[in-house]
Amino acid sequence: MIDRSLLALLSVEPISGVLLAERLGISRSAVWKRIQHLRDAGFEIETKSGQGYFLKHPVEWLDQQRICNALDAMAKKQLGDFHVAEQIDSTNSWAKSETKRKAGIDVFLAEQQTAGRGRLGRQWVSPMAANIYLSLRCHFNKGLPALSGLSLVVGVLLAKALRAYGFDDVGLKWPNDIYVSGNKKCGGILIEVAGEANAEINAVIGIGLNVSMPAHFANNIDQAWTDLRQYAGEKNVSRNQLLSALLNELLPGLKRFEDEGSSEFLSHWPEYDVLLDQEVKLLDGIHQHIGRVLGITGQGALRLLQDGAERHYHSGEISVRPLRTI
Ligand code: BTN
């Protein structure tokens, strides 16, 4: 359970330990312990000499009502169940286990994940009330091959929403990473599917977006990362507003993908492609392929130019090779 009452007191203006103790009806040492607890959970609580404790970034809790009120008619039409948890192991795992109650695309959100999962068995660092941890559960009935390109389509939808929100520098790194400002990852997509290869498929689309990563959690991230707050300038990034903006793209977009396929979405990939023309190394299982990125195919495979020949790859992990010095 998180300490909402203490967080509320710290959100207004700096407040002394004495006053906090009085307001909460506890001792000063109990206040200090509760402050430590919040700091361990990732809340950045600072002190101002002579005035007391305050929260560096005010907390904005996820608010289902607010998110849904800002959905447009097209998104509302596709929306199924809407779940928000304070703490969960992983929203993807939750989406796979929860019973479905109504038609449409189901939304699963959490303030915190205790076992957030990234691609390739990595952990996804998921501190409390800081970022977006979202899973969408969708039902498709055209079989597995019809889902090829889905993760790239989701990337394009997210990038479009983020640009419209004001992050002009958003980019996509094939196959699943969301970038801002060229070379740092601020989000990723993890899709898990279950069902009959040629018929009904349940897909869980997991989206992690770093909004305001507390500094001390960043030590656990094993790749170059960033968060949206760093690119927002003076503007405060509201997770609730951002979620409405993302769902306004994703919910109708996924329906369109189901009806019409991926090609129209993938035609927008070049507008966001951070790898285009870069010399890269693609790690595909134990195989390593080096070449220059030419873009993606109509099906979403990566096009690499290797020794004068073009080859296509459907999976793998890319690292950009440093420029050679001469
Ligand atoms: C990646 O490795 O880039 C993919 C990260 C996906 C993280 C999201 S957070 C919401 C959902 N729940 C999880 O456990 N993982 C995904």
Side-chain angles (χ1 to χ4, degrees), residues 63-73 76 79 82 240 244 248:
D63 181 338
Q64 175 174 349
Q65 201 71 44
R66 232 183 112 189
I67 298 168
C68 290
N69 284 347
L71 291 183
D72 53 39
K76 278 189 182 143
L79 181 64
F82 199 111
N240 290 307
S244 307
N248 275 333

Side-chain angles (χ1 to χ4, degrees), residues 90-92 113 115-119 124 132-135 176-177 185 187-190 206-208:
S90 146
T91 53
N92 264 31
Q113 295 185 120
R117 293 185 282 115
R119 289 177 67 231
W124 189 257
I132 287 177
Y133 319 116
L134 162 70
S135 295
N176 284 126
D177 292 346
K185 177 166 171 171
I189 301 160
L190 176 70
I207 296 161

Side-chain angles (χ1 to χ4, degrees), residues 9-27:
L9 289 169
L10 295 168
S11 298
V12 189
E13 56 187 0
I15 178 165
S16 70
V18 177
L19 214 49
L20 282 171
E22 203 180 294
R23 296 266 166 87
L24 294 166
I26 56 175
S27 69

Side-chain angles (χ1 to χ4, degrees), residues 192-258:
E192 300 179 273
V193 292
E196 297 295 320
N198 294 314
E200 311 278 298
I201 303 283
N202 282 312
V204 171
I205 301 167
I207 296 161
L209 209 51
N210 297 338
V211 175
S212 179
M213 184 68 84
H216 89 254
F217 274 83
N219 302 334
N220 301 330
I221 305 178
D222 59 0
Q223 48 194 322
W225 69 277
T226 189
D227 61 19
L228 294 173
R229 188 180 62 201
Q230 297 178 39
Y231 298 90
E234 294 299 295
K235 202 172 130 194
N236 178 43
V237 188
S238 154
R239 289 186 305 154
N240 290 307
Q241 275 177 17
L242 194 52
L243 274 160
S244 307
L246 298 179
L247 292 173
N248 275 333
E249 274 306 323
L250 286 161
L251 298 177
L254 287 166
K255 174 72 180 125
R256 239 178 101 195
F257 164 77
E258 184 185 15

